[in-house]
Amino acid sequence: MIAATGLRWIFTLLFCALAAYGLWRAFAARSHPWTARLAHGLHAVMALAMFAMAWPWAMDLPGTPQVVFFSAAAAWFVLAALALPNGPEPRLRALASTLPHAVMTGAMAWMVAAMSSGMSMGATGGGQAHDMPGMDMSAPGAVATMTLSGTGNRWSAGLLALVLLALALWWLAAGFDAGRLAPRTASGAASGDAASGGGTVHIAWDVGCHGLMALGMAVMFVVMV
């Protein structure tokens, strides 16, 4: 979907790094609940899908399984917060903390569906990319190879971009705040609470990676418009 070589490689490095971090957190954090490790795994899969969408060969990947997977993942975030025990945390608070992840995963499903719909319509109409009812071919030198056509699709993509940008700023700010607290927590851990300092650092990295993921997705939605 990305035509600009520099931007394509920036997305590649960003999403591959996020996928590697998510996989590491999913398999290395054995002491964490399985729900938290599964969430990291889902974020890693989403990062890999976003990396693929930056390259032309991603258009050959089947879209329906991706839409089903990410839709189910979005529903899982909500259902897990409501149905599974969260310790002392109230269920409504757990839902509020996981809802942004559900929104981000649902936005991923929408993006794949929009791209797959445009590709399938173009194939049905004779295989000409410029005849796609849902997509427009970009001019040479443009940032994206294809953009959405239709007012409804563009408004939806623009709204999702704004929501993701807001989530990115919120997560990144929270990550920086947690990072500033980490040295204080680590210095206090000398008295015996060593796990507290490491936990704060992991929280800062986790939240920061969520922010980078949302920021990358927001840019991808802007490119589609």
Side-chain angles (χ1 to χ4, degrees):
M1 188 174 71
I2 305 298
T5 304
L7 185 60
R8 177 184 292 169
W9 278 105
I10 289 174
F11 278 138
T12 297
L13 295 175
L14 172 64
F15 289 122
C16 285
L18 292 175
Y21 179 80
L23 290 175
W24 174 69
R25 292 288 281 148
F27 290 103
R30 296 294 184 182
S31 61
H32 288 193
W34 69 269
T35 53
R37 289 186 281 117
L38 178 58
H40 284 298
L42 291 175
H43 284 297
V45 173
M46 184 163 56
L48 290 175
M50 293 298 298
F51 144 70
M53 292 187 70
W55 293 88
W57 50 262
M59 299 300 177
D60 298 328
L61 299 177
T64 300
Q66 297 183 68
V67 174
V68 172
F69 176 84
F70 290 116
S71 298
W76 179 85
F77 278 113
V78 176
L79 294 177
L82 294 175
L84 298 179
N86 300 289
E89 187 178 25
R91 293 189 187 278
L92 289 181
R93 184 174 179 179
L95 177 62
S97 63
T98 58
L99 192 58
H101 300 282
V103 171
M104 188 164 58
T105 314
M108 183 68 196
W110 187 94
M111 179 186 294
V112 175
M115 296 294 294
S116 300
S117 176
M119 291 297 294
S120 62
M121 288 180 181
T124 304
Q128 296 295 325
H130 60 271
D131 292 331
M132 293 183 189
M135 307 294 294
D136 286 331
M137 289 297 294
S138 301
V143 175
T145 57
M146 291 180 293
T147 57
L148 291 170
S149 62
T151 304
N153 287 338
R154 290 188 172 184
W155 274 101
S156 298
L159 178 60
L160 288 172
L162 289 176
V163 172
L164 290 168
L165 178 60
L167 290 177
L169 295 177
W170 176 52
W171 270 322
L172 290 174
F176 285 126
D177 288 341
R180 287 201 305 267
L181 292 175
R184 303 178 189 175
T185 309
S187 62
S191 60
D193 190 14
S196 179
T200 305
V201 172
H202 285 155
I203 290 174
W205 277 100
D206 290 347
V207 177
C209 286
H210 296 331
L212 290 175
M213 175 82 76
L215 181 61
M217 290 184 65
V219 176
M220 291 284 276
F221 273 103
V222 171
V223 168
M224 292 177 68
V225 177

